[in-house]
Amino acid sequence: MLLQRIQQHFIDSADLKYQCAQLVAPQVEAAVGAVLAALTGGGKVLACGSGVSAGLVQAFVASLVGRFERDRPELAAFALGSNASVVTGLYNMFEARAVFGRQVRALGLPGDVLLAVTAQTQSPDILGAVEAAHERDMVVVALCGAKPGPLGPLLKDTDVLVNVPSERLSRIHELHQMVLHCVCDGLDVQLLGDYSETEIDE
């Protein structure tokens, strides 16, 4: 019984990824374009997420500042949730909407891009970040599940929404990681040219 349940997890994940190859790929391509425009224009990526999503954006930022699969010059990116003193201090002093919002207002500039990742339909810290990004004339790339909730109406036509067709948290997180890997790969291809798996550095 347990073995079948484990196998079903793999099958469900694979099925969802197959769906996303058709439905979500154009959104991911637009996300690569938005991030690339910011980075090549002298801007930076400010990234934020709550809970598991915070770990995903930190790994994404590490791939930009460091490397994904090939060596290249470092790219300007910062994870807003990586400083525990700042995050906990803001939670103590202000409402949740200000936790990322104040950081975006402090660090964000026109031409930068905000990457906001959330699997929850109600994330006041993410909503506050999006509002602050617009105040700073930044483009927003938002990753969410099937139902964007209040995040959807906040986004502008110039923003990018990548919403994966699932409401199950574990599946959303899996697909968000895949999306972020695709963005990293897309940036590398745009900056360094196409390559085969045999050319990937170990």
Side-chain angles (χ1 to χ4, degrees), residues 44 46 78-80 101-110 112 136 138:
K44 61 185 175 293
L46 297 181
F78 182 77
L80 298 177
R102 291 184 69 90
Q103 294 182 72
V104 171
R105 292 186 186 92
L107 302 171
L109 296 170
D112 292 344
R136 290 292 184 261
M138 297 168 58

Side-chain angles (χ1 to χ4, degrees), residues 21-119:
Q22 305 299 321
L23 298 174
V24 181
Q27 302 169 11
V28 179
E29 183 181 33
V32 173
V35 175
L36 182 67
L39 293 173
T40 57
K44 61 185 175 293
V45 178
L46 297 181
C48 61
S50 296
V52 173
S53 299
L56 294 179
V57 299
Q58 287 180 30
F60 174 75
V61 166
S63 294
L64 295 192
V65 176
R67 51 170 282 177
F68 180 55
E69 292 182 329
R70 292 189 292 170
D71 286 336
R72 52 149 168 72
E74 56 277 1
L75 301 174
F78 182 77
L80 298 177
S82 58
N83 188 322
S85 295
V86 171
V87 172
T88 56
L90 290 172
Y91 265 117
N92 286 335
M93 292 183 285
F94 302 98
E95 61 177 358
R97 224 173 178 94
V99 171
F100 293 137
R102 291 184 69 90
Q103 294 182 72
V104 171
R105 292 186 186 92
L107 302 171
L109 296 170
D112 292 344
V113 63
L114 173 72
L115 173 71
V117 182
T118 179

